[in-house]
mmCIF file of all heavy atoms in Angstrom:
data_model
loop_
_atom_site.group_PDB
_atom_site.id
_atom_site.type_symbol
_atom_site.label_atom_id
_atom_site.label_comp_id
_atom_site.label_asym_id
_atom_site.label_seq_id
_atom_site.Cartn_x
_atom_site.Cartn_y
_atom_site.Cartn_z
ATOM 1 N N GLU A 208 -46.312 -75.374 -113.475
ATOM 2 C CA GLU A 208 -46.249 -75.245 -112.025
ATOM 3 C C GLU A 208 -47.338 -74.263 -111.674
ATOM 4 O O GLU A 208 -48.126 -74.485 -110.658
ATOM 5 C CB GLU A 208 -44.947 -74.685 -111.522
ATOM 6 C CG GLU A 208 -43.971 -75.751 -111.318
ATOM 7 C CD GLU A 208 -42.750 -75.342 -110.464
ATOM 8 O OE1 GLU A 208 -42.793 -74.132 -109.988
ATOM 9 O OE2 GLU A 208 -41.794 -76.154 -110.213
ATOM 10 N N SER A 209 -47.506 -73.191 -112.343
ATOM 11 C CA SER A 209 -48.535 -72.188 -112.058
ATOM 12 C C SER A 209 -49.895 -72.833 -112.107
ATOM 13 O O SER A 209 -50.779 -72.551 -111.124
ATOM 14 C CB SER A 209 -48.514 -71.037 -113.024
ATOM 15 O OG SER A 209 -47.276 -70.163 -113.010
ATOM 16 N N VAL A 210 -50.193 -73.651 -113.152
ATOM 17 C CA VAL A 210 -51.464 -74.307 -113.332
ATOM 18 C C VAL A 210 -51.717 -75.230 -112.038
ATOM 19 O O VAL A 210 -52.839 -75.271 -111.514
ATOM 20 C CB VAL A 210 -51.556 -75.088 -114.529
ATOM 21 C CG1 VAL A 210 -52.771 -76.023 -114.495
ATOM 22 C CG2 VAL A 210 -51.471 -74.151 -115.777
ATOM 23 N N LYS A 211 -50.599 -75.941 -111.563
ATOM 24 C CA LYS A 211 -50.845 -76.737 -110.459
ATOM 25 C C LYS A 211 -51.008 -76.090 -109.197
ATOM 26 O O LYS A 211 -52.087 -76.434 -108.419
ATOM 27 C CB LYS A 211 -49.445 -77.634 -110.187
ATOM 28 C CG LYS A 211 -49.547 -78.525 -109.101
ATOM 29 C CD LYS A 211 -48.221 -79.487 -109.071
ATOM 30 C CE LYS A 211 -46.961 -78.799 -109.125
ATOM 31 N NZ LYS A 211 -45.808 -79.742 -109.069
ATOM 32 N N TRP A 212 -50.395 -74.936 -108.848
ATOM 33 C CA TRP A 212 -50.820 -74.206 -107.733
ATOM 34 C C TRP A 212 -52.110 -73.480 -107.786
ATOM 35 O O TRP A 212 -52.875 -73.441 -106.803
ATOM 36 C CB TRP A 212 -49.714 -73.091 -107.482
ATOM 37 C CG TRP A 212 -48.308 -73.589 -107.547
ATOM 38 C CD1 TRP A 212 -47.182 -72.889 -108.041
ATOM 39 C CD2 TRP A 212 -47.758 -74.808 -106.995
ATOM 40 N NE1 TRP A 212 -46.007 -73.700 -107.917
ATOM 41 C CE2 TRP A 212 -46.353 -74.876 -107.298
ATOM 42 C CE3 TRP A 212 -48.249 -75.839 -106.309
ATOM 43 C CZ2 TRP A 212 -45.429 -75.927 -106.871
ATOM 44 C CZ3 TRP A 212 -47.407 -76.990 -105.916
ATOM 45 C CH2 TRP A 212 -45.983 -76.930 -106.287
ATOM 46 N N PHE A 213 -52.430 -73.029 -109.061
ATOM 47 C CA PHE A 213 -53.776 -72.474 -109.188
ATOM 48 C C PHE A 213 -54.895 -73.486 -108.889
ATOM 49 O O PHE A 213 -55.863 -73.142 -108.151
ATOM 50 C CB PHE A 213 -53.871 -72.005 -110.732
ATOM 51 C CG PHE A 213 -53.464 -70.660 -111.077
ATOM 52 C CD1 PHE A 213 -52.271 -70.112 -110.374
ATOM 53 C CD2 PHE A 213 -54.048 -69.851 -111.995
ATOM 54 C CE1 PHE A 213 -51.826 -68.874 -110.579
ATOM 55 C CE2 PHE A 213 -53.605 -68.626 -112.319
ATOM 56 C CZ PHE A 213 -52.355 -68.145 -111.623
ATOM 57 N N ALA A 214 -54.671 -74.687 -109.313
ATOM 58 C CA ALA A 214 -55.798 -75.717 -109.022
ATOM 59 C C ALA A 214 -55.849 -76.065 -107.630
ATOM 60 O O ALA A 214 -57.056 -76.064 -107.103
ATOM 61 C CB ALA A 214 -55.383 -76.934 -109.931
ATOM 62 N N ILE A 215 -54.766 -76.107 -106.960
ATOM 63 C CA ILE A 215 -54.796 -76.452 -105.486
ATOM 64 C C ILE A 215 -55.553 -75.137 -104.682
ATOM 65 O O ILE A 215 -56.375 -75.342 -103.874
ATOM 66 C CB ILE A 215 -53.406 -76.637 -104.939
ATOM 67 C CG1 ILE A 215 -52.844 -77.834 -105.465
ATOM 68 C CG2 ILE A 215 -53.417 -76.640 -103.389
ATOM 69 C CD1 ILE A 215 -51.383 -78.213 -105.235
ATOM 70 N N LEU A 216 -55.168 -73.985 -105.071
ATOM 71 C CA LEU A 216 -55.559 -72.739 -104.417
ATOM 72 C C LEU A 216 -57.103 -72.681 -104.579
ATOM 73 O O LEU A 216 -57.931 -72.277 -103.749
ATOM 74 C CB LEU A 216 -54.947 -71.531 -104.838
ATOM 75 C CG LEU A 216 -53.459 -71.414 -104.355
ATOM 76 C CD1 LEU A 216 -52.677 -70.259 -105.037
ATOM 77 C CD2 LEU A 216 -53.464 -71.286 -102.884
ATOM 78 N N LEU A 217 -57.546 -72.753 -105.950
ATOM 79 C CA LEU A 217 -58.965 -72.531 -106.282
ATOM 80 C C LEU A 217 -59.836 -73.753 -105.618
ATOM 81 O O LEU A 217 -60.955 -73.421 -105.162
ATOM 82 C CB LEU A 217 -59.099 -72.604 -107.825
ATOM 83 C CG LEU A 217 -58.547 -71.380 -108.539
ATOM 84 C CD1 LEU A 217 -58.702 -71.650 -110.069
ATOM 85 C CD2 LEU A 217 -59.226 -70.252 -108.209
ATOM 86 N N LEU A 218 -59.252 -74.899 -105.620
ATOM 87 C CA LEU A 218 -59.996 -75.926 -104.928
ATOM 88 C C LEU A 218 -60.306 -75.734 -103.472
ATOM 89 O O LEU A 218 -61.409 -75.765 -102.930
ATOM 90 C CB LEU A 218 -59.175 -77.336 -105.027
ATOM 91 C CG LEU A 218 -59.845 -78.447 -104.368
ATOM 92 C CD1 LEU A 218 -61.111 -78.956 -105.021
ATOM 93 C CD2 LEU A 218 -58.858 -79.621 -104.402
ATOM 94 N N PHE A 219 -59.186 -75.326 -102.672
ATOM 95 C CA PHE A 219 -59.423 -75.155 -101.306
ATOM 96 C C PHE A 219 -59.841 -73.796 -100.815
ATOM 97 O O PHE A 219 -60.380 -73.593 -99.785
ATOM 98 C CB PHE A 219 -58.004 -75.355 -100.603
ATOM 99 C CG PHE A 219 -57.609 -76.868 -100.523
ATOM 100 C CD1 PHE A 219 -56.727 -77.435 -101.380
ATOM 101 C CD2 PHE A 219 -58.267 -77.725 -99.584
ATOM 102 C CE1 PHE A 219 -56.318 -78.748 -101.293
ATOM 103 C CE2 PHE A 219 -57.907 -79.020 -99.496
ATOM 104 C CZ PHE A 219 -56.962 -79.556 -100.405
ATOM 105 N N PHE A 220 -59.718 -72.738 -101.720
ATOM 106 C CA PHE A 220 -60.011 -71.441 -101.321
ATOM 107 C C PHE A 220 -61.279 -70.916 -101.965
ATOM 108 O O PHE A 220 -61.883 -69.845 -101.588
ATOM 109 C CB PHE A 220 -58.967 -70.421 -101.597
ATOM 110 C CG PHE A 220 -57.888 -70.392 -100.472
ATOM 111 C CD1 PHE A 220 -56.890 -71.289 -100.437
ATOM 112 C CD2 PHE A 220 -57.964 -69.365 -99.600
ATOM 113 C CE1 PHE A 220 -55.934 -71.261 -99.437
ATOM 114 C CE2 PHE A 220 -56.948 -69.436 -98.515
ATOM 115 C CZ PHE A 220 -56.029 -70.235 -98.543
ATOM 116 N N VAL A 221 -61.720 -71.565 -102.988
ATOM 117 C CA VAL A 221 -62.917 -71.182 -103.836
ATOM 118 C C VAL A 221 -63.974 -72.324 -103.849
ATOM 119 O O VAL A 221 -65.164 -72.203 -103.389
ATOM 120 C CB VAL A 221 -62.554 -70.665 -105.220
ATOM 121 C CG1 VAL A 221 -63.828 -70.262 -105.974
ATOM 122 C CG2 VAL A 221 -61.563 -69.533 -105.144
ATOM 123 N N PHE A 222 -63.758 -73.283 -104.568
ATOM 124 C CA PHE A 222 -64.696 -74.329 -104.901
ATOM 125 C C PHE A 222 -65.249 -75.093 -103.629
ATOM 126 O O PHE A 222 -66.633 -75.055 -103.483
ATOM 127 C CB PHE A 222 -64.092 -75.285 -105.805
ATOM 128 C CG PHE A 222 -63.692 -74.792 -107.198
ATOM 129 C CD1 PHE A 222 -62.572 -75.184 -107.796
ATOM 130 C CD2 PHE A 222 -64.462 -73.860 -107.781
ATOM 131 C CE1 PHE A 222 -62.171 -74.655 -109.132
ATOM 132 C CE2 PHE A 222 -64.140 -73.242 -109.088
ATOM 133 C CZ PHE A 222 -62.919 -73.706 -109.609
ATOM 134 N N ILE A 223 -64.501 -75.597 -102.911
ATOM 135 C CA ILE A 223 -65.020 -76.358 -101.756
ATOM 136 C C ILE A 223 -65.632 -75.358 -100.753
ATOM 137 O O ILE A 223 -66.761 -75.614 -100.185
ATOM 138 C CB ILE A 223 -63.975 -77.160 -101.012
ATOM 139 C CG1 ILE A 223 -63.320 -78.228 -102.006
ATOM 140 C CG2 ILE A 223 -64.384 -77.753 -99.688
ATOM 141 C CD1 ILE A 223 -62.198 -79.052 -101.332
ATOM 142 N N PRO A 224 -65.082 -74.139 -100.347
ATOM 143 C CA PRO A 224 -65.798 -73.291 -99.622
ATOM 144 C C PRO A 224 -67.121 -72.775 -100.093
ATOM 145 O O PRO A 224 -68.007 -72.637 -99.231
ATOM 146 C CB PRO A 224 -64.795 -72.024 -99.425
ATOM 147 C CG PRO A 224 -63.436 -72.648 -99.718
ATOM 148 C CD PRO A 224 -63.686 -73.741 -100.704
ATOM 149 N N VAL A 225 -67.200 -72.403 -101.294
ATOM 150 C CA VAL A 225 -68.433 -72.087 -101.942
ATOM 151 C C VAL A 225 -69.580 -73.121 -101.743
ATOM 152 O O VAL A 225 -70.749 -72.916 -101.336
ATOM 153 C CB VAL A 225 -68.325 -71.651 -103.420
ATOM 154 C CG1 VAL A 225 -69.693 -71.566 -104.102
ATOM 155 C CG2 VAL A 225 -67.605 -70.403 -103.429
ATOM 156 N N VAL A 226 -69.250 -74.405 -102.049
ATOM 157 C CA VAL A 226 -70.103 -75.522 -101.920
ATOM 158 C C VAL A 226 -70.583 -75.641 -100.490
ATOM 159 O O VAL A 226 -71.774 -75.791 -100.104
ATOM 160 C CB VAL A 226 -69.510 -76.910 -102.382
ATOM 161 C CG1 VAL A 226 -70.370 -78.051 -102.066
ATOM 162 C CG2 VAL A 226 -69.260 -76.732 -103.910
ATOM 163 N N TYR A 227 -69.573 -75.685 -99.578
ATOM 164 C CA TYR A 227 -69.859 -75.599 -98.153
ATOM 165 C C TYR A 227 -70.888 -74.538 -97.719
ATOM 166 O O TYR A 227 -71.866 -74.841 -96.930
ATOM 167 C CB TYR A 227 -68.499 -75.516 -97.329
ATOM 168 C CG TYR A 227 -68.761 -75.380 -95.778
ATOM 169 C CD1 TYR A 227 -68.823 -76.556 -94.985
ATOM 170 C CD2 TYR A 227 -68.876 -74.114 -95.261
ATOM 171 C CE1 TYR A 227 -69.062 -76.430 -93.677
ATOM 172 C CE2 TYR A 227 -69.010 -74.064 -93.887
ATOM 173 C CZ TYR A 227 -69.097 -75.128 -93.036
ATOM 174 O OH TYR A 227 -69.295 -75.025 -91.656
ATOM 175 N N LEU A 228 -70.532 -73.366 -98.128
ATOM 176 C CA LEU A 228 -71.486 -72.181 -97.726
ATOM 177 C C LEU A 228 -72.855 -72.326 -98.292
ATOM 178 O O LEU A 228 -73.759 -71.960 -97.763
ATOM 179 C CB LEU A 228 -70.817 -70.877 -98.155
ATOM 180 C CG LEU A 228 -69.495 -70.509 -97.280
ATOM 181 C CD1 LEU A 228 -68.861 -69.316 -98.025
ATOM 182 C CD2 LEU A 228 -69.987 -70.242 -95.807
#
Side-chain angles (χ1 to χ4, degrees):
E208 276 197 0
S209 295
V210 171
K211 180 167 59 176
W212 310 139
F213 274 33
I215 294 170
L216 292 171
L217 291 174
L218 177 66
F219 286 103
F220 277 84
V221 179
F222 297 139
I223 298 178
V225 167
V226 171
Y227 172 88
L228 287 173

